Amino acid sequence: DAGVIQSPRHEVTEMGQEVTLRCKPISGHNSLFWYRQTMMRGLELLIYFNNNVPIDDSGMPEDRFSAKMPNASFSTLKIQPSEPRDSAVYFCASSSGLAGPYEQYFGPGTRLTVT
Amino acid sequence: GENVEQHPSTLSVQEGDSAVIKCTYSDSASNYFPWYKQELGKGPQLIIDIRSNVGEKKDQRIAVTLNKTAKHFSLHITETQPEDSAVYFCAASKGTGFQKLVFGTGTRLLVSP
């Protein structure tokens, strides 16, 4: 049974370039979360989707960040233009419900390095 | 908003000893408290959770306790094994709808054989 799938696992890019991170949630899950993990700030929620609709994007740091979920099985997080301070591990997580707390299943993450 | 503090930041124990990690939260409306384990190069994985209507929950060698009055909750691991070595995160959320998790800063647990 496949878990949350993220690609790429590692991304190295130069400052100013566009970066696109991809996520495939667990089949049947209707909630999707994007997190960022750094040593300084820990795990931060960036944006949350429910039934493909963005519900809370208050954690998105700047307009350079955007996220989409065109269908129930795919989501992207885009950074344009990228900056060195965007270097972090980005996690996608999915869960099966909105009503009440449900376990969030995390993907393996994408380690982004911006030089 | 909610603030979750976690202690200690690192914890070293000998195999077979017990380990305790403590978290405090600020929002008295929080009602769901999961604990996640993150191994090197992997995403966090839920290991146990507790809701505010329960004071303690156990699952084999792992237990979580909740003190709503003091607004703190703890993870207890008994008979630790080397494979318990990882970073552990506590989190808190509130409400019955969107469960936005606020995470603690993590505890790196090292279990020495």
Side-chain angles (χ1 to χ4, degrees):
Chain A
D1 192 18
V4 175
I5 298 173
Q6 292 187 246
S7 65
R9 294 294 313 276
H10 302 273
E11 177 78 36
V12 180
T13 190
E14 293 184 347
M15 181 175 62
Q17 296 298 306
E18 177 179 297
V19 174
T20 299
L21 311 181
R22 298 173 175 80
C23 175
K24 176 178 170 58
I26 293 173
S27 177
H29 283 190
N30 60 357
S31 297
L32 184 140
F33 309 82
W34 281 101
Y35 289 89
R36 179 172 66 177
Q37 185 176 41
T38 62
M39 288 296 294
M40 291 297 294
R41 300 176 67 90
L43 266 168
E44 301 175 278
L45 177 66
L46 300 178
I47 187 170
Y48 155 68
F49 292 86
N50 182 250
N51 292 325
N52 312 337
V53 176
I55 303 298
D56 185 342
D57 65 354
S58 59
M60 295 287 263
E62 301 172 32
D63 291 344
R64 299 185 295 106
F65 286 70
S66 63
K68 295 181 179 180
M69 192 164 186
N71 57 62
S73 60
F74 184 65
S75 177
T76 60
L77 178 67
K78 185 177 294 186
I79 308 173
Q80 165 63 17
S82 58
E83 297 183 1
R85 58 193 170 122
D86 301 331
S87 298
V89 180
Y90 291 81
F91 289 103
C92 175
S94 69
S95 70
S96 61
L98 173 65
Y102 286 91
E103 177 176 355
Q104 295 186 20
Y105 293 80
F106 282 74
T110 295
R111 180 174 295 277
L112 173 64
T113 302
V114 183
T115 61
Chain B
E2 175 67 278
N3 181 53
V4 177
E5 295 188 357
Q6 183 172 348
H7 301 280
S9 57
T10 59
L11 180 59
S12 295
V13 300
Q14 292 292 120
E15 182 176 1
D17 289 348
S18 295
V20 180
I21 303 171
K22 299 180 179 181
C23 289
T24 60
Y25 59 99
S26 60
D27 192 337
S28 58
S30 290
N31 58 6
Y32 175 64
F33 308 93
W35 285 88
Y36 282 79
K37 175 183 181 182
Q38 186 176 22
E39 297 177 330
L40 193 62
K42 297 183 178 180
Q45 180 181 14
L46 181 74
I47 55 172
I48 195 168
D49 57 12
I50 192 168
R51 302 186 185 189
S52 59
N53 58 347
V54 175
E56 183 176 6
K57 184 178 180 180
K58 289 183 179 180
D59 184 2
Q60 299 182 347
R61 296 185 298 108
I62 295 172
V64 58
T65 58
L66 171 65
N67 183 326
K68 289 171 53 182
T69 301
K71 291 190 285 187
H72 66 70
F73 56 112
S74 301
L75 177 70
H76 303 254
I77 306 174
T78 59
E79 301 173 22
T80 55
Q81 301 168 4
E83 51 264 39
D84 294 329
S85 297
V87 179
Y88 292 80
F89 292 93
C90 62
S93 73
K94 63 181 178 181
T96 56
F98 166 43
Q99 66 281 20
K100 179 175 181 176
L101 292 176
V102 177
F103 284 88
T105 49
T107 296
R108 183 173 299 278
L109 174 64
L110 176 61
V111 181
S112 302

